[in-house]
Amino acid sequence: MKSGIFKRSAVVAALATAGVVAHADALPFNFYALLDAGVVSTTISGGGVAGSHTTEVRSSPIDPSFWGVVAEKKLGDVVGGLQIESALNTTPYPSTTANFNQGNVLGNRQANVYVKSDAAGKLEIGTITDPVFDTLLMVDPTASGFGNTLSPWFQNISHGSSDIGAVKYTSPTVAGFTGKVSYVGPSAPNTTGSNGSYGSGYRYALTYNRGDLNVVGAYESNNANATANGVSIGANQNSAVVLGASYKMNALTLKAIQLTNRDNASQTSTTDFGSLVTTGFGGSYDFSEKLQLTSGYYMSKDGKTAGKTNSENTSAWDTYLTYEFIKDLKVYGQYAKVSNNATTGNPFAFQSYYGTFAGSASNPATSGTLSAGQSASVISFGLHYGFF
């Protein structure tokens, strides 16, 4: 199981996309960033053990922190440019810890060169965002650090929001429809990185927008990069399907999502679950231009495929309130509860984007995970600044 949650949330994706596009007119160079840090209090209970309580100062309880630059040149209606985006962990773990350690590495989120135009679309080459993950963020009800569809994605699809060594094409929008497709080249066995455990892969995504309605559908397939557990090099290792929609009604925005993960064998970096279906619903309500409430409920269960682990059964509820008291600077309060409802099986990672020490007092390797029958109740308060 891949522990830890990494990369962008729905809010972050929307801000980053809007910000980069908005700044694109001011060629040739633009800087953007998001920084989220807070105090996080976690109580773990159940599972036949005494409860534990941990209070930490953590990076990114709600949104991942990162910074990036975009540089562009324009000739007529054709724009060529580059984008470099890097994680910004305000409280990195020491490299010796067994938990998820996301350092501040240049270009680990994006590092690509691209060309685009309104008529022809956009072509990107390098380290780029996964178009299937892009659609997931559009319809995930909260996409915050604790309750989300991100956790099943990162643990079971075995890579983050970006692909290394990939090419992606985004079509122009026609009658509300926008398509994305990408090819990921194979990695050498044991290569580290967002898709380092895979051979080649393909991603397909289609979105539809009509006013306040957004509908998404996407499919991803990843091949093995080494022969193991009956899966040969180049054969399908796992796949993912995302379906969802969002609809805005005045101050209320409703969202629903279904993420289906499938695998063909137990690899070193995936859980042998057969078929895992995660559903989520919720949304946000704007009390004013500055005050917003976001909430979502999620369920994740395996498909009880014959011969598979058949043990994942988790639920999560997450809600948070944000208030923008200075332009682009928000204060927030969050409550989340994540429960591993399985009776047996692998632990479930509940931690936020850059990890947690919660539950690690006796064994750092188990920090941020819930054994069968355990629950984590998380309360966080923090500051959130977005420069776009």
Side-chain angles (χ1 to χ4, degrees), residues 13 16 61 133 177 190 224 283 299 327 333 373:
F133 195 82
F177 289 94
N190 302 318
M299 298 172 289
K327 180 176 172 53

Side-chain angles (χ1 to χ4, degrees), residues 27-53:
L27 302 176
F29 179 85
N30 295 284
F31 171 85
Y32 61 94
L34 188 148
L35 197 62
D36 177 8
V39 178
V40 181
S41 176
T42 304
T43 300
I44 297 176
S45 59
V49 298
S52 64
H53 180 81

Side-chain angles (χ1 to χ4, degrees), residues 59-388:
S59 183
S60 305
I62 291 182
D63 285 327
S65 299
F66 58 88
W67 65 275
V69 294
V70 173
E72 295 184 334
K73 293 292 182 68
K74 187 174 184 180
L75 179 62
D77 65 343
V78 179
V79 175
L82 62 87
Q83 184 170 7
I84 299 174
E85 187 175 295
S86 309
L88 185 56
N89 188 352
T90 60
T91 56
Y93 287 147
S95 61
T96 55
T97 62
N99 206 330
F100 188 76
N101 180 39
Q102 177 55 49
N104 302 320
V105 180
L106 182 65
N108 59 347
R109 291 172 59 93
Q110 292 195 70
N112 57 73
V113 60
Y114 60 85
V115 60
K116 63 181 181 179
S117 72
D118 292 339
K122 183 178 182 180
L123 180 68
E124 303 166 77
I125 302 176
T127 298
I128 56 179
T129 60
D130 182 334
V132 181
F133 195 82
D134 291 344
T135 64
L136 181 152
L137 296 174
M138 293 176 63
V139 293
D140 188 294
T142 68
S144 74
F146 292 99
N148 46 50
T149 52
L150 308 182
S151 184
W153 172 279
F154 289 123
Q155 293 180 67
N156 298 309
I157 206 65
S158 192
H159 74 83
S161 66
S162 300
D163 288 312
I164 299 172
V167 55
K168 179 169 76 172
Y169 172 70
T170 303
S171 75
T173 300
V174 179
F177 289 94
T178 304
K180 295 183 180 182
V181 59
S182 68
Y183 168 76
V184 184
S187 302
N190 302 318
T191 299
T192 59
S194 61
N195 56 293
S197 63
Y198 290 154
S200 59
Y202 295 89
R203 294 89 167 90
Y204 309 93
L206 183 66
T207 64
Y208 174 72
N209 170 259
R210 184 173 182 178
D212 294 323
L213 174 67
N214 289 287
V215 181
V216 307
Y219 172 79
E220 157 165 337
S221 177
N222 297 293
N223 297 325
N225 70 345
T227 299
N229 300 300
V231 177
S232 60
I233 296 175
N236 179 257
Q237 177 175 300
N238 57 35
S239 62
V241 176
V242 173
L243 298 171
S246 69
Y247 184 67
K248 182 173 175 58
M249 300 180 292
N250 298 317
L252 177 66
T253 300
L254 298 175
K255 295 184 177 183
I257 186 173
Q258 182 181 85
L259 167 65
T260 302
N261 297 106
R262 294 187 177 90
D263 73 350
N264 288 332
S266 179
Q267 303 292 305
T268 58
S269 58
T270 61
T271 302
D272 191 19
F273 50 81
S275 178
L276 179 69
V277 179
T278 303
T279 56
F281 55 90
S284 61
Y285 183 80
D286 299 324
F287 293 101
S288 67
E289 291 184 356
K290 296 181 178 295
L291 183 64
Q292 183 183 68
L293 176 69
T294 301
S295 187
Y297 180 76
Y298 302 84
M299 298 172 289
S300 186
K301 296 182 180 182
D302 64 38
K304 298 188 181 299
T305 307
K308 299 297 184 178
T309 304
N310 301 327
S311 62
E312 185 149 339
N313 181 2
T314 61
S315 61
W317 176 60
D318 179 38
T319 187
Y320 56 90
L321 189 69
T322 62
Y323 178 70
E324 186 180 48
F325 65 99
I326 300 175
K327 180 176 172 53
D328 300 325
L329 180 61
K330 300 177 183 179
V331 61
Y332 62 82
Q334 177 189 41
Y335 173 78
K337 184 172 183 178
V338 184
S339 299
N340 185 345
N341 303 312
T343 55
T344 60
N346 292 306
F348 181 80
F350 73 91
Q351 68 251 42
S352 188
Y353 296 96
Y354 299 109
T356 177
F357 281 126
S360 64
S362 60
N363 183 6
T366 64
S367 59
T369 61
L370 297 174
S371 300
Q374 287 188 325
S375 295
S377 296
V378 183
I379 298 174
S380 66
F381 298 92
L383 293 173
H384 180 292
Y385 180 73
F387 179 80
F388 296 98

